[in-house]
Amino acid sequence: MPSGLTRARQETEIGEGLAVGCLVAGVHAVGAAAGLDPALVGALGPWPWAARYPALHRTPRLDDVLRRSAGRRGNRVARWTPSRDAFVPQLCDDAWDLFAACVRLEETTAVPARRWCELADRFLRLLDQELVWRGRPLDPLGDLGLGGPG
């Protein structure tokens, strides 16, 4: 299934989806040395929506994607802000809560929010856990009401 999305758009959507999914998981920051590219490749492998993002599946450069995230004009939902040797996931609109961000993410990417949460969960499990700073995770299907098909 060809994507039809430019590489830049693929990078933006993956960056935003991972940011929202990580926020739902209670992640405050991810270390830049956490093995980002291998974790992304491993997470994308079984993900049902991976075919939409072929450029990143073939040649991931997640460190670059996250480093440029805060300056992207295409960000509509979330971004990653570099902070020392880490990346911090943030929502683009301070007035949004995670539920609103999940709804907007679904609208802009056509990928269900729970699928982004699944991708982020797989991605996080494949990272060096000493380089993932977490708080209290939310239950994306319960707390945010993200159940349903997709």
Side-chain angles (χ1 to χ4, degrees):
M1 163 173 116
S3 162
L5 299 174
T6 65
R7 182 177 183 98
R9 188 71 221 151
Q10 290 177 52
E11 290 176 351
T12 299
E13 288 189 12
I14 288 286
E16 287 185 314
L18 284 177
V20 170
C22 285
L23 288 167
V24 169
V27 171
H28 298 291
V30 173
L36 301 174
D37 289 346
L40 179 61
V41 169
L44 281 171
W47 194 51
W49 291 83
R52 183 173 165 87
Y53 305 99
L56 283 164
H57 192 66
R58 285 191 305 269
T59 55
R61 299 177 313 191
L62 194 55
D63 184 81
D64 290 342
V65 171
L66 300 186
R67 203 167 298 287
R68 292 190 316 259
S69 177
R72 279 193 189 275
R73 287 189 301 249
N75 286 345
R76 299 173 193 162
V77 180
R79 65 180 164 259
W80 291 87
T81 301
S83 174
R84 293 196 178 114
D85 292 330
F87 297 104
V88 178
Q90 298 176 325
L91 299 180
C92 287
D93 189 332
D94 291 336
W96 283 354
D97 57 19
L98 276 174
F99 181 78
C102 287
V103 169
R104 182 73 174 134
L105 184 63
E106 285 185 359
E107 292 171 355
T108 61
T109 66
V111 175
R114 71 182 182 92
R115 294 298 188 186
W116 286 115
C117 292
E118 291 167 3
L119 178 66
D121 183 58
R122 274 192 214 98
F123 170 72
L124 291 167
R125 281 189 272 129
L126 294 169
L127 293 175
D128 178 347
Q129 294 306 296
E130 291 183 15
L131 296 174
V132 177
W133 293 274
R134 297 176 186 259
R136 179 189 166 275
L138 297 175
D139 171 8
L141 299 178
D143 293 349
L144 296 178
L146 298 178

